[in-house]
Amino acid sequence: MRIIPLVLSLCILFTTYHLVGKIRFSDKEAIAQWSRFYEKSIQLEQEASFSKALNFAVRAFEVCENSLPPDHPHTFMTLCRLGHLEAELYRFDESEKHLSRALKITRKRSNPDFAEIGRCEYLKGRLSAIREDTELAIHQYESALSYFKKCAPCDVYLAKTMVSLALVLHKIGKTKEAEDYCLHATEVLGSAKQSKSKTAADCLRLLGHIKQGQGICESAKEYCEGALAIYDELNIQGIDCAKCMISLALVHEKQDDISRAETMLLRALEIVQRAYGPKHKEVKK
C-alpha cells in the first residue's frame, strides 16, 4: 500500500515537470515571435513604411494579448509602439488610447519605472505636437525630461525628448531656446557614446533647419550633410531623412544650385509618398 502514494507523487512530479517545461517553452516561443514582429515593425518604420510597420506592431500586440501577462514589459513596449505609429498616421484616438493604457501599466507597478513614465510622456508630447497643440506638447515634453533626468542623465530618450522639444520651440519662434536644447542633446549623446545614432542625426537635422531659416547657409549645409551621412550609414530612409533633404534643398536653392535642390526635393518626395500615400497632406506640403 505504501507504494501507491509514492507512485502518485512521482506521477504528479512528472506531470508538473512537463507542464512547467511546456509553459516555459511556450513563453520563450511567444517572446521570440514577438521579437520578430516588433523588430520588423521598427525596420519598416525606418524605411518610411508606416502602415506596414503598424501592421507588424499589431501582430506583436496580438502575441502579448494571447501569451503574456497584461503588465508584461513587452506589452508596455508594444502599446507605446502602437501609440507612436498611430500618431504618425494621424490616428489620434487610437494613439491616445494605447498610450494611456501603457502609462496605466507602468504607474500600477509597485516600484514605478521613471524611464517608462518618461517614455509615455514623450510619446504623448509627440502626439500633441502632431495635433499642433503646442502648449500641451511643451508641457508633456518637459514632464518627460523631468522623469528621464531622475533615472538616466545620459539616456538617448533624454536627448530625443530635448530634440523634440526644440522642434516645437523653434516652430513658435523660440529659436535660441531650441538651439540650446539641441546643443545640450548633442552633449548627452556624446556622453552616452551615441554620436552616430538616429537621435544624433535628428539633432543635426534640426540644427541645420534652424541655421537654414537664419540664412546661415554654410552651417546649415554642414549640419544637414552630417545628418544625412548618419542616416545613410544606418540605412534609414524615413520622414526625418526627408525633412533633412528639404532643408538642404532650400540651402542649395539659396546658393543658386537649382539642380541639387531639385534632386534633394525629388528624393524627399519619394520618401514622403512611400510613408503616407500620394494623397496625404504631408505630400502636398
Side-chain angles (χ1 to χ4, degrees):
M1 295 296 290
R2 289 181 182 177
I3 199 168
I4 293 175
L6 179 60
V7 171
L8 285 172
S9 297
L10 287 171
C11 287
I12 291 168
L13 183 62
F14 180 83
T15 305
T16 303
Y17 171 83
H18 280 274
L19 282 174
V20 170
K22 242 181 180 179
I23 291 168
R24 285 177 180 166
F25 178 76
S26 178
D27 281 352
K28 286 180 181 178
E29 282 294 297
I31 289 170
Q33 188 179 41
W34 173 87
S35 295
R36 286 194 294 272
F37 292 149
Y38 191 88
E39 288 166 13
K40 184 67 175 176
S41 175
I42 293 172
Q43 178 194 332
L44 288 165
E45 182 191 356
Q46 291 176 345
E47 295 170 1
S49 298
F50 284 161
S51 294
K52 291 180 180 178
L54 179 59
N55 288 338
F56 275 92
V58 168
R59 292 173 72 179
F61 186 61
E62 286 171 354
V63 174
C64 295
E65 291 277 84
N66 295 330
S67 305
L68 300 173
D71 60 347
H72 195 279
H74 288 3
T75 304
F76 168 82
M77 289 172 64
T78 312
L79 285 166
C80 287
R81 179 135 199 83
L82 286 169
H84 159 63
L85 291 169
E86 286 158 346
E88 296 294 335
L89 288 165
Y90 290 69
R91 300 180 184 181
F92 299 137
D93 290 342
E94 294 96 325
S95 174
E96 193 163 6
K97 180 184 74 174
H98 285 127
L99 292 177
S100 295
R101 184 172 168 187
L103 188 58
K104 188 176 179 181
I105 287 174
T106 193
R107 286 192 183 280
K108 284 177 71 175
R109 301 194 199 285
S110 55
N111 294 309
D113 187 324
F114 290 137
E116 285 186 349
I117 297 173
R119 186 176 179 186
C120 287
E121 289 293 328
Y122 161 76
L123 290 170
K124 288 173 77 173
R126 175 65 184 152
L127 172 60
S128 298
I130 294 172
R131 277 177 157 167
E132 299 183 349
D133 189 340
T134 303
E135 188 175 338
L136 182 57
I138 290 172
H139 171 74
Q140 288 166 328
Y141 283 144
E142 288 176 343
S143 174
L145 286 177
S146 69
Y147 282 110
F148 287 131
K149 286 175 181 177
K150 290 177 183 178
C151 60
C154 295
D155 187 79
V156 172
Y157 254 100
L158 175 63
K160 194 180 182 80
T161 307
M162 287 177 178
V163 174
S164 297
L165 178 55
L167 180 59
V168 175
L169 291 170
H170 176 61
K171 282 183 177 179
I172 60 174
K174 296 185 177 182
T175 303
K176 180 64 171 65
E177 289 181 48
E179 193 170 354
D180 287 345
Y181 269 115
C182 282
L183 293 172
H184 190 184
T186 302
E187 293 173 7
V188 171
L189 290 165
S191 299
K193 298 181 180 178
Q194 293 291 327
S195 298
K196 296 293 183 182
S197 65
K198 180 184 180 298
T199 301
D202 293 340
C203 191
L204 292 173
R205 170 185 68 79
L206 182 51
L207 285 167
H209 180 64
I210 290 171
K211 294 301 180 184
Q212 176 266 314
Q214 294 172 334
I216 308 174
C217 291
E218 285 306 317
S219 291
K221 185 178 178 181
E222 184 179 345
Y223 281 129
C224 289
E225 288 179 345
L228 288 175
I230 295 174
Y231 289 135
D232 286 343
E233 189 177 333
L234 298 174
N235 196 28
I236 293 173
Q237 294 290 315
I239 292 300
D240 292 320
C241 183
K243 289 177 180 177
C244 190
M245 290 174 180
I246 292 168
S247 293
L248 188 54
L250 293 172
V251 171
H252 288 317
E253 184 183 19
K254 282 186 180 179
Q255 295 178 327
D256 294 323
D257 194 341
I258 304 303
S259 177
R260 284 189 179 181
E262 186 177 0
T263 299
M264 279 291 154
L265 286 173
L266 288 172
R267 286 177 64 190
L269 179 61
E270 182 184 347
I271 292 170
V272 175
Q273 285 180 325
R274 186 167 67 245
Y276 295 113
K279 296 182 180 180
H280 197 276
K281 71 176 187 177
E282 291 294 332
V283 176
K284 293 176 183 178
K285 287 182 185 179

